[in-house]
């Protein structure tokens, strides 16, 4: 059979006050902790930047989950289960999950998500998920000069 996957990639957009933010991809381990992060520049530039000291640089930033990718040559059921459980804990339903042997696991490995999912990183590099169903409030305060 397949070896078990220990990582999953999530792609997200940074949420900003005015313009659409940059795209970031996070590689998470089986504790849903960020192992690596890259920032994708707009397609016109074609630049990919690895984020050194990502926890410090991304502190205070809010992201919205765009999509999830897995390695189709590995058994992703455990890592997908961990991410799905984390989403259930914030009230997000996941439906139409594909079988491990289905081609759909390459395109929508989680299945269909009922709500937009936003998240930020805590000090340990773990994702803290937010959903409209939990009614989070974003408070903006101007930095003092």
């Amino acid at each position: 059979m397949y070896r078990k996957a220990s990582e999953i990639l999530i792609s997200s957009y940074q949420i900003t006050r005015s313009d659409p933010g940059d795209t970031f991809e996070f590689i998470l381990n089986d504790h849903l902790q960020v192992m690596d992060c890259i920032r994708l520049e707009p397609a016109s530039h074609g630049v990919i930047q690895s984020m050194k000291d990502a926890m410090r640089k991304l502190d205070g930033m809010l992201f919205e989950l765009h999509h999830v990718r897995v390695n189709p040559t590995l058994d992703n059921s455990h890592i997908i289960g961990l991410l799905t459980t984390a989403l259930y804990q914030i009230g997000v339903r996941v439906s139409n999950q594909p079988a491990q042997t289905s081609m759909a696991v390459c395109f929508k490995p989680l299945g269909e998500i009922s709500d937009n999912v936003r998240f930020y990183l805590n000090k340990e590099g773990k994702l803290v998920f937010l959903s409209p169903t939990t009614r989070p409030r974003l408070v903006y305060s101007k930095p003092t000069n």
Side-chain angles (χ1 to χ4, degrees), residues 12 30-31 35 44 54 82 84 91 127 136-137 142:
S12 61
D30 57 359
H31 299 289
M35 301 304 296
S44 61
L82 294 172
T84 301
L127 301 188
R137 291 193 174 101
K142 284 186 174 181

Side-chain angles (χ1 to χ4, degrees), residues 22-36:
D22 292 329
T23 300
F24 289 83
E25 290 188 345
F26 298 93
I27 297 175
L28 308 179
N29 65 13
D30 57 359
H31 299 289
L32 300 183
Q33 186 171 12
V34 175
M35 301 304 296
D36 198 6

Side-chain angles (χ1 to χ4, degrees), residues 4 18 21 35 51 61 118:
K4 288 191 177 211
S18 55
M35 301 304 296
M51 297 285 297
M61 290 187 184
R118 292 184 175 181

